[in-house]
């Protein structure tokens, strides 16, 4: 009997798998085969797979397996979900005589299916990499991908880029307003994967999906990597004991970020301030900011670092004074950066107990941001052009408040 298989499976586990996998169907997908889930038996387990732009699969335990030359069979993900949501705790899947049957007690549901002629198996070379090495790389991707452009039309900056340097794998992203990189020191667990990824680019949506799937535990333990596809259009496959995901890579020339990084050699001065102080102040000021001016203006004073934001009220502003802080070199008396962008960079690249170092170049040149606990990471933010007709002076009769530490001491 050609292409026959039968097994029992826990309905809830299958339902969860299909729901998770269905999220990766592209919103504008029209081809029914790419909106279907493939069911096949691999090494005695059920493989539930979506073969779309992001190829993702889940492995589930099954019982009472019978198979005779089993080939993958696809059913509509939407229809399958509707049927599974109405089934009891355990069901039997039976494919025989060109019928796909979902059987529960005395009820049999026959679903339309797509045959194996539309299924394209993957094959590739195994790339040695430990779970620890993969974790380092994917953690770096998670930290930098929000700095890539979300717009697929921005082809030059819509990616996370992997670049191999002497002894280091650099994971970086840029969108024209901000830049981030994380540098991973190569060791036995990361070297092979680094050579595989060198020069490759991972599109923004797939970088996001990779980090989500990895962190959710969907793949399980025992992680490894495959390289599939062609040299011009490679694909990155990561698999574990419980699932796998395959994502398309781009292999073309990326922006020369080294030229941007070299500007750091011309830093004029720097400010060092506590992360928790600046995040607390900006977090309080953000909700009241004027929609047309989402910038925060920095002024170093003799005893504090002053932050000013425009509010929704005409001519009004919020002010915060941060101390302690340190200054070195020559700084402009005033500079400004986009507040929301700054907060997101800080959140991804530092922790609350860090000291943040802002290194300034020219008055409107890039600002380099680094955290004391993460020397392997660097962020860049482009400053705002400061309007000359805005007053940043403290209103007459108003003095700067005392520092937080001084107030705590008085209370004590």
């Amino acid at each position: 009997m050609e292409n026959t298989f039968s097994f029992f499976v826990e309905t809830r586990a299958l339902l969860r798998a299909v729901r998770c996998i269905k999220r990766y169907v592209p919103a504008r997908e029209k081809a029914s085969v790419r909106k279907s889930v493939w069911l096949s038996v691999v090494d005695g387990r059920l493989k539930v797979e979506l073969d779309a732009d992001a190829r993702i699969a889940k492995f589930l335990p099954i019982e009472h397996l019978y198979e005779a030359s089993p080939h993958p069979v696809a059913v509509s993900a939407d229809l399958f979900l509707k049927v599974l949501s109405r089934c009891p705790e355990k069901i039997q899947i039976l494919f025989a005589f060109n019928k796909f049957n979902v059987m529960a007690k005395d009820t049999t549901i026959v679903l339309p299916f797509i045959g194996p002629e539309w299924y394209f198996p993957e094959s590739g070379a195994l790339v040695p990499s430990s779970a620890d090495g993969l974790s380092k790389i994917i953690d770096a991707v998670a930290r930098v991908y929000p700095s890539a452009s979300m717009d697929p039309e921005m082809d030059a900056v819509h990616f996370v880029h992997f670049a191999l340097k002497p002894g280091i794998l650099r994971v970086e992203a840029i969108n024209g307003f901000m830049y981030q990189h994380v540098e991973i020191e190569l060791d036995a667990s990361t070297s092979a994967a680094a050579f595989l990824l060198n020069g490759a680019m991972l599109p923004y949506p797939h970088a996001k999906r990779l980090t989500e799937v990895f962190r959710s535990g969907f793949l399980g333990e025992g992680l490894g990597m495959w390289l599939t596809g062609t040299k011009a259009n490679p694909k990155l496959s990561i698999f574990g004991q419980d699932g796998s995901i395959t994502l398309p890579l781009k292999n073309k020339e990326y922006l020369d970020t080294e030229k941007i990084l070299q500007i750091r050699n011309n830093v004029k001065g720097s400010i060092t301030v506590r992360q928790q102080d600046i995040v607390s102040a900006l977090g309080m000021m953000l909700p009241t900011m004027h929609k047309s001016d989402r910038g925060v203006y920095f002024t170093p004073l003799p005893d504090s670092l002053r932050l000013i934001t425009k509010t929704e009220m005409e001519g009004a502003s919020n002010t915060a004074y941060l101390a302690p802080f340190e200054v070195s070199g020559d700084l402009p008396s005033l500079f400004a950066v986009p507040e929301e962008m700054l907060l997101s960079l800080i959140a991804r690249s530092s922790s609350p107990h860090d000291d943040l170092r802002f290194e300034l170049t020219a008055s409107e040149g890039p600002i380099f941001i680094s955290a004391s606990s993460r020397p392997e990471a660097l962020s860049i933010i482009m400053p705002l052009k400061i309007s000359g007709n805005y007053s940043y002076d403290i209103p007459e009769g108003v003095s700067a408040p005392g520092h937080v530490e001084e107030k705590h001491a008085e209370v004590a």
Side-chain angles (χ1 to χ4, degrees), residues 133-176:
L134 272 178
S135 180
K136 290 178 184 177
I137 294 172
I138 296 175
D139 179 66
V141 172
R143 285 159 65 179
V144 308
Y145 83 79
S147 291
S149 173
M150 293 184 287
D151 186 357
E153 300 298 323
M154 301 288 289
D155 194 51
V157 292
H158 184 56
F159 304 95
V160 171
H161 179 241
F162 302 91
L164 194 59
K165 308 294 179 182
I168 287 174
L169 175 66
R170 178 182 292 166
V171 185
E172 59 185 350
I174 187 172
N175 64 11

Side-chain angles (χ1 to χ4, degrees), residues 159-214:
F159 304 95
V160 171
H161 179 241
F162 302 91
L164 194 59
K165 308 294 179 182
I168 287 174
L169 175 66
R170 178 182 292 166
V171 185
E172 59 185 350
I174 187 172
N175 64 11
F177 304 100
M178 56 184 175
Y179 166 86
Q180 280 184 275
H181 79 222
V182 175
E183 294 184 333
I184 303 169
E185 291 189 15
L186 298 186
D187 54 24
S189 69
T190 55
S191 292
F195 281 99
L196 161 70
L197 294 170
N198 183 34
M201 297 187 294
L202 182 62
Y204 175 96
H206 296 315
K208 184 178 180 180
R209 288 168 180 169
L210 174 61
T211 58
E212 288 175 349
V213 170
F214 183 81

Side-chain angles (χ1 to χ4, degrees), residues 260-290:
I260 302 173
L261 295 174
Q262 287 172 5
I263 299 176
R264 198 179 187 188
N265 297 327
N266 301 318
V267 166
K268 304 298 183 183
S270 68
I271 292 176
T272 302
V273 64
R274 293 187 304 196
Q275 192 257 39
Q276 56 189 345
D277 289 348
I278 195 168
V279 168
S280 176
L282 295 182
M284 292 177 64
M285 299 162 83
L286 181 62
T288 65
M289 289 182 65
H290 196 283

Side-chain angles (χ1 to χ4, degrees), residues 242-308:
D242 298 334
S244 66
I245 185 168
T246 300
L247 302 166
L249 300 172
K250 294 288 185 180
N251 198 355
K252 62 180 182 179
E253 189 173 354
Y254 190 64
L255 296 177
D256 188 358
T257 55
E258 284 294 337
K259 290 183 178 180
I260 302 173
L261 295 174
Q262 287 172 5
I263 299 176
R264 198 179 187 188
N265 297 327
N266 301 318
V267 166
K268 304 298 183 183
S270 68
I271 292 176
T272 302
V273 64
R274 293 187 304 196
Q275 192 257 39
Q276 56 189 345
D277 289 348
I278 195 168
V279 168
S280 176
L282 295 182
M284 292 177 64
M285 299 162 83
L286 181 62
T288 65
M289 289 182 65
H290 196 283
K291 294 178 181 178
S292 63
D293 186 357
R294 292 288 189 176
V296 55
Y297 301 82
F298 287 66
T299 305
L301 302 176
D303 61 345
S304 61
L305 178 64
R306 186 172 71 188
L307 311 179
I308 295 179

Side-chain angles (χ1 to χ4, degrees), residues 18 32 35-37 74-81 111-114:
V18 177
S32 60
K35 294 192 295 183
S36 301
V37 290
V75 293
S76 165
D78 283 330
L79 180 58
F80 201 30
L81 281 174
L111 300 182
F113 68 93
I114 298 172

